[in-house]
Amino acid sequence: MSRYPDASGRTRYESAEGLSVQQAQRDLRDLVTAQLLTPVGKTRTRFYLTGPAFPEEVLEVARTPSSLVDPYAP
């Protein structure tokens, strides 16, 4: 289990959103500048945590468990 369960890295973001390396880097740089994310680590080991300006109400929604419904269930 990760020490930082809410952490995410560039490659994870890049593949999840279907972005180029350059676009993912620009997005993350802009999010860090806006203090929505906080980088931890250097180069290959860098990951991102929520920053001081990240909206608390968004975190509450994201951390609330939800049930998945099988759309193919009879």
Side-chain angles (χ1 to χ4, degrees):
M1 175 127 187
S2 172
R3 185 170 155 189
Y4 303 101
D6 295 334
S8 187
R10 181 197 43 86
T11 54
R12 183 175 176 186
Y13 170 62
E14 180 186 320
S15 64
E17 299 301 324
L19 301 172
S20 69
V21 172
Q22 295 81 10
Q23 184 61 54
Q25 288 171 333
R26 276 193 301 269
D27 288 355
L28 290 169
R29 181 191 63 223
D30 293 346
L31 291 167
V32 167
T33 299
Q35 295 187 338
L36 293 170
L37 295 178
T38 301
V40 177
K42 302 275 185 202
T43 60
R44 288 181 51 144
T45 61
R46 180 173 293 146
F47 60 93
Y48 298 87
L49 299 174
T50 55
F54 203 94
E56 189 60 39
E57 58 274 6
V58 173
L59 286 174
E60 288 178 29
V61 171
R63 290 177 177 154
T64 302
S66 61
S67 301
L68 298 177
V69 177
D70 182 357
Y72 304 104

